[in-house]
């Protein structure tokens, strides 16, 4: 028994709705994928810039430590260090430079509890201005003041 069941769509041409829906979904997925790639690329660029800025910051901080550790303190003039590689093995890498200058001198404060160096000593105030430059071109500037106790005064 073979019966033909009449179909409401019998005799009509297919309209291609599945094709249109499929193409729209494909377009939406393509837009999402392109958007994801662009966002990832932007985030990678931002992370790279942050890394370069951190390297410049560390180079400037290293310059402060080197300036203080150098023990080339003079109350006349400035000590200027031209751009110097942070790592001597990588001359094209991160660099630092600094200017160390004498600011002033003052007498040491007296401590009311009796712990004092007494007379004959001075506080010599210095300032160091540093610039760190990363290999990617980022710059960071630091300024640090400090003083050293030395002979002087009355």
């Amino acid at each position: 028994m073979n019966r033909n069941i009449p179909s409401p769509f019998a005799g009509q041409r297919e309209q291609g709705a599945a094709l249109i829906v499929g193409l729209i979904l494909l377009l939406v997925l393509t837009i999402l994928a392109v958007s994801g790639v662009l966002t990832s690329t932007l985030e990678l660029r931002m992370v790279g810039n942050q890394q370069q800025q951190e390297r410049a910051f560390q180079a400037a901080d290293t310059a402060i430590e080197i300036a203080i550790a150098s023990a080339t303190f003079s109350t006349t003039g400035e000590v200027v260090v031209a751009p110097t590689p942070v790592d001597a093995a990588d001359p094209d890498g991160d660099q630092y430079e600094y200017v160390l200058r004498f600011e002033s001198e003052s007498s040491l404060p007296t401590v009311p509890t009796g712990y004092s160096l007494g007379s004959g000593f001075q506080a010599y105030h210095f300032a160091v201005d540093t610039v760190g430059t990363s290999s990617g071109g980022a710059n960071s500037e630091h300024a640090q003041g400090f003083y050293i106790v030395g002979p002087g005064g009355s």
Side-chain angles (χ1 to χ4, degrees):
M1 191 173 216
N2 195 1
R3 282 189 190 173
N4 289 335
I5 301 175
S7 168
F9 301 110
Q12 293 181 356
R13 290 183 11 172
E14 294 183 8
Q15 300 296 318
L19 178 63
I20 292 173
V21 170
L23 287 175
I24 290 173
L25 287 175
L26 185 61
L27 178 66
V28 168
L29 289 175
T30 302
I31 289 172
L32 287 174
V34 169
S35 173
V37 168
L38 292 177
T39 301
S40 296
T41 303
L42 179 63
E43 288 176 357
L44 281 173
R45 188 175 298 148
M46 290 185 333
V47 167
N49 289 342
Q50 182 64 34
Q51 286 177 338
Q52 292 300 322
Q53 184 60 37
E54 181 64 28
R55 291 176 64 113
F57 181 92
Q58 294 298 331
D61 199 45
T62 299
I64 290 175
E65 293 177 16
I66 290 172
I68 292 174
S70 68
T72 54
F73 306 112
S74 171
T75 57
T76 59
E78 296 179 333
V79 176
V80 178
V81 173
T84 306
V86 172
D87 183 7
D90 184 15
D92 294 330
D94 303 339
Q95 296 185 344
Y96 67 86
E97 57 186 287
Y98 66 85
V99 176
L100 176 65
R101 67 182 177 284
F102 174 70
E103 294 284 312
S104 65
E105 65 181 75
S106 64
S107 58
L108 291 175
T110 57
V111 181
T113 59
Y115 297 106
S116 177
L117 293 174
S119 61
F121 291 97
Q122 288 285 99
Y124 297 95
H125 301 267
F126 291 89
V128 61
D129 296 318
T130 65
V131 176
T133 305
S134 72
S135 57
N139 289 329
S140 183
E141 297 180 10
H142 293 225
Q144 179 72 46
F146 63 95
Y147 71 90
I148 299 173
V149 175
S154 54

